[in-house]
């Protein structure tokens, strides 16, 4: 899947038409988690692509994807995997792009296996490891936006806006015992 919605600009003029972020995952079953990465990037207007690339089942594809990503214009890779989660580390071994790893929650060990597999990289090959599950998937997208923001002002501003909106929602609802006012339905006047 490729998204091109709300294309950001690099300098206020040239629209970015190619994916800047590659979201890869070890299995189609990881999509239940990694869809939150895609949704968050979409909300930020960051063009991205999504692919199943398995370290164990399709190792040649993994090497091809990781070694060609930079010349295809990808600037950040987000890799989600569960269990013996070698995908982020092996991807990082074949590229100098920043690689962010999302530990997918596994059935047997609740994602602790995924977390340790991704986080415990040897010195010299970094993977930015996020939290297990949905939080990690969302934060991987936000961290990618923060990284891309150094080069792409539109993405920096989109990230700033999302963070400000989040802060505003918390401050607007300080008392958890009071239900927030229901959102008014579109087209209906009070
Ligand atoms: C890993 O094995 C994948 O990342 C996935 O989280 C896990 C299970 O894969 P399936 O058996 O559901 O395909 O490689």
């Amino acid at each position: 899947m490729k998204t091109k919605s709300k294309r950001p600009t690099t300098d206020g003029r040239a629209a970015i038409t190619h994916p800047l972020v590659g979201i890869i995952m070890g299995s189609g079953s990881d999509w239940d988690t990694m869809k939150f990465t895609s949704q968050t990037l979409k909300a930020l207007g960051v063009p991205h692509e999504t692919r199943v690339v398995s370290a164990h089942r399709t190792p040649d594809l993994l090497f091809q994807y990781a070694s060609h990503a930079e010349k295809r214009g990808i600037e950040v890779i987000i890799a989600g995997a569960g269990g013996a989660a070698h995908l982020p580390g092996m991807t990082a071994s074949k590229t100098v792009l920043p690689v962010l790893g999302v530990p997918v929650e596994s059935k047997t060990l609740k994602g602790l296996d995924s977390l340790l597999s991704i986080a415990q990289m040897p010195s010299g090959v970094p993977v930015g490891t996020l939290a297990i599950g949905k939080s990690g998937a969302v934060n991987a997208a936000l961290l990618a936006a923060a990284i891309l923001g150094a080069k792409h002002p539109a993405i920096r501003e989109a990230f700033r806006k999302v963070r400000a909106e989040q802060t505003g929602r918390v401050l607007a609802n300080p008392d958890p015992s009071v239900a927030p006012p229901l959102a008014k339905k579109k087209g209906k006047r009070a």
Side-chain angles (χ1 to χ4, degrees):
M1 182 182 79
K2 284 187 185 178
T3 67
K4 292 182 182 172
S5 60
K6 284 197 267 170
R7 290 172 190 166
T9 56
T10 49
D11 57 2
R13 283 171 294 172
I16 299 167
T17 55
H18 63 271
L20 293 177
V21 177
I23 303 174
I24 56 175
M25 61 211 83
S27 167
S29 65
D30 295 327
W31 179 243
D32 282 348
T33 300
M34 299 310 293
K35 69 185 178 190
F36 295 109
T37 304
S38 178
Q39 286 171 8
T40 305
L41 287 175
K42 197 170 177 189
L44 288 159
V46 177
H48 59 282
E49 63 183 19
T50 51
R51 299 265 189 286
V52 173
V53 178
S54 169
H56 306 122
R57 294 167 178 156
T58 62
D60 294 339
L61 175 62
L62 159 62
F63 270 41
Q64 187 196 30
Y65 185 92
S67 52
H68 288 88
E70 185 181 359
K71 60 183 132 182
R72 290 198 301 112
I74 298 287
E75 296 183 15
V76 178
I77 296 176
I78 299 174
H86 296 127
L87 181 63
M90 287 306 298
T91 301
S93 78
K94 292 295 288 181
T95 183
V96 293
L97 293 175
V99 176
L100 307 180
V102 178
V104 171
E105 186 173 329
S106 55
K107 285 194 185 110
T108 42
L109 295 175
K110 301 286 175 204
L112 187 58
D113 44 357
S114 325
L115 175 66
L116 296 179
S117 297
I118 295 173
Q120 291 300 107
M121 287 296 290
S123 167
V125 185
V127 170
T129 308
L130 284 300
I132 297 169
K134 181 181 175 183
S135 294
V138 170
N139 282 344
L142 296 176
L143 189 53
I147 294 167
L148 293 167
K151 177 177 168 188
H152 305 284
I155 296 175
R156 170 62 50 85
E157 292 316 307
F159 182 46
R160 197 189 307 281
K161 187 164 170 257
V162 163
R163 292 288 299 271
E165 285 169 354
Q166 176 175 254
T167 300
R169 278 196 302 278
V170 175
L171 294 176
N173 301 289
D175 185 348
S177 71
V178 179
L182 290 172
K184 283 179 189 167
K185 283 189 181 168
K186 271 186 187 171
K188 284 197 175 177
R189 296 198 176 165

